[in-house]
Amino acid sequence: MNTASNRKRRISAVAILGLAASVAATGTGLAATTPPSTVHATAATAAAAPTRSFQGTLPAPTGPYAAGEDVIHLTDASRPDPWVPSSGPRQLTVTMVYPAVPGTGTPAPYMTLAEAAGHIQRAKIPASSGITPQNVSSVTTHAFDGARPQRGKYPLVVLSPGFGDPRMVLTSLATDLASHGYVVALVGHTYEDSGETLANGQTPPCAICDDPNLDMDTVTASRALDVSFVIDRLTHGNTAWCLAHLIDKHEIGMAGHSIGGAAAAATMIADPRVRAGVNMDGTFSPAPMPGQINRPFLMLGAAAYHSAGGGDNWGQAWAALGGYKKWLAVTGANHPSFTDVDLLEEEAGFPTPPLDPERGIVITREYVTAFFDQTLKGIHSPLLDGPSPNNPEVAFQS
């Protein structure tokens, strides 16, 4: 594959709910070989949809704990913002999801009204779709603000979304991980999507989404800096987050979707504290070289794009990985199948891929949790040993 020409191609990842902005990306996510997806509706498709009131609900977590939620704001005073230097130091919004006592706290919103409005505006969703900032922000998350934390210490898993996507599209994965005994940090990468509400109340739009010459290797390197900074702040006292005492700072993993998955690899190369990584359907940018990652890594992708012998660089990455590793390809999945997006599109009445959207979430949750159970908690999961009759869509590639 010609990497240079690949990076000049444009792919669209416009999600009908405004949950993913139009993006100009190469070497990430859908990859250059991915055909445009019909389930990513255009404004014209949305206009043709019947007028209705959208009410979205994510699947409930499956573990023994409830999912508590806090939103924190962090400023890296040592680093100017890489995309808009005039804005000052790098500012990040992070959603912390943690094991909580059931029946405590109040229902957490999916996103702020300003974030929801920004996503709807960028995706050009008409009012006739019935999709409004109010009902997008009020999607049922099964996370609870101010919930009382469970006692104990838990591994930390950092989640990074796809390019153009807000951190919230990984909420169903975050709540499930928390319910199974993980502290999760959902990182919003400022200026890389249609809006993350910052500490000052502003919700700046994407500054780089429409740049056709953007070097995606630069984006993954920047995200690695974002994540290492977040880990620094969360593992040194509790000034960044009042519940930081819940974190076992010796057991840290990272998972990401699309370019967030590529960023997981980049972060592992740069930061040895990240002991295990997951790439969900993202082309590596760049692919790791032999010897760079000798810790556990899971590659979980759509079979149509990320099977052995495919046209992306997963084969190159697989050969370079030196630690415990698994490569799983999911039949019928599309690019957003590993996020909340397909399910919310279905609930809004729009077409979805062959893989049932809720099955996509179930598969993502089960295999990602099993991987971190095995690599961060030392709990063997037979699910990772080979094909499962309960998950016939999942093929082991190596």
Side-chain angles (χ1 to χ4, degrees):
M1 182 172 63
N2 185 315
T3 304
S5 62
N6 177 40
R7 288 182 181 156
K8 291 179 182 176
R9 298 180 189 175
R10 298 171 64 85
I11 56 175
S12 174
V14 183
I16 187 60
L17 300 176
L19 300 175
S22 299
V23 301
T26 54
T28 65
L30 291 170
T33 56
T34 303
S37 173
T38 57
V39 302
H40 280 170
T42 62
T45 305
T51 300
R52 53 173 292 171
S53 177
F54 165 67
Q55 293 181 315
T57 301
L58 301 180
T62 61
Y65 306 132
E69 179 178 306
D70 285 332
V71 176
I72 63 175
H73 302 280
L74 305 175
T75 300
D76 186 352
S78 69
R79 178 183 172 219
D81 189 275
W83 314 124
V84 185
S86 61
S87 67
R90 181 67 163 163
Q91 298 182 70
L92 298 173
T93 300
V94 181
T95 299
M96 302 301 303
V97 191
Y98 58 92
V101 176
T104 64
T106 57
Y110 192 50
M111 60 179 74
T112 68
L113 286 172
E115 288 163 343
H119 300 316
I120 290 172
Q121 180 181 6
R122 182 160 182 83
K124 298 181 173 62
I125 306 303
S128 60
S129 68
I131 297 168
T132 67
Q134 289 75 19
N135 56 36
V136 170
S137 68
S138 62
V139 165
T140 300
T141 66
H142 302 284
F144 295 88
D145 283 332
R148 190 164 75 249
Q150 295 282 349
R151 295 178 182 272
K153 286 189 176 294
Y154 305 93
L156 172 66
V157 174
V158 182
L159 297 183
S160 180
F163 187 68
D165 290 352
R167 67 192 191 281
M168 291 72 84
V169 301
L170 297 177
T171 297
S172 60
L173 176 58
T175 56
D176 203 56
L177 283 167
S179 78
H180 287 277
Y182 292 88
V183 172
V184 182
L186 268 169
V187 180
H189 301 281
T190 311
Y191 296 113
E192 297 177 30
D193 62 46
S194 54
E196 303 279 344
T197 300
L198 302 177
N200 61 8
Q202 296 180 353
T203 308
C206 190
I208 59 174
C209 287
D210 297 321
D211 182 356
N213 299 311
L214 184 65
D215 181 355
M216 302 312 290
D217 291 2
T218 303
V219 178
T220 56
S222 176
R223 288 196 175 198
L225 292 174
D226 284 350
V227 171
S228 289
F229 167 69
V230 170
I231 293 172
D232 287 344
R233 293 297 309 278
L234 291 176
T235 57
H236 290 83
N238 65 349
T239 57
W241 182 45
C242 63
L243 298 179
H245 62 273
L246 296 175
I247 295 171
D248 179 351
K249 63 183 180 181
H250 301 294
E251 301 294 344
I252 299 174
M254 179 177 175
H257 173 247
S258 193
I259 199 174
T267 302
M268 288 186 72
I269 292 169
D271 193 333
R273 294 174 297 180
V274 181
R275 293 169 52 88
V278 180
N279 181 351
M280 298 181 292
D281 212 56
T283 297
F284 291 89
S285 186
M289 302 297 290
Q292 288 187 313
I293 299 178
N294 293 319
R295 284 158 281 156
F297 204 91
L298 169 65
M299 294 158 46
L300 175 66
Y305 320 132
H306 297 299
S307 295
D312 57 21
N313 63 2
W314 276 36
Q316 179 185 353
W318 175 258
L321 295 171
Y324 173 81
K325 57 185 180 179
K326 295 292 178 180
W327 178 353
L328 309 179
V330 184
T331 300
N334 70 350
H335 190 51
S337 292
F338 308 92
T339 74
D340 302 341
V341 171
D342 278 348
L343 179 63
L344 294 177
E345 286 189 356
E346 180 182 62
E347 291 174 343
F350 294 98
T352 54
L355 180 69
D356 177 77
E358 191 150 359
R359 279 293 297 155
I361 289 176
V362 168
I363 289 168
T364 301
R365 286 173 155 187
E366 287 188 355
Y367 282 93
V368 172
T369 300
F371 176 76
F372 285 130
D373 279 353
Q374 185 148 318
T375 58
L376 298 181
K377 294 183 176 181
I379 301 172
H380 174 68
S381 174
L383 193 65
L384 297 172
D385 291 343
S388 164
N390 293 329
N391 296 300
E393 310 93 337
V394 181
F396 284 66
Q397 298 302 286
S398 296

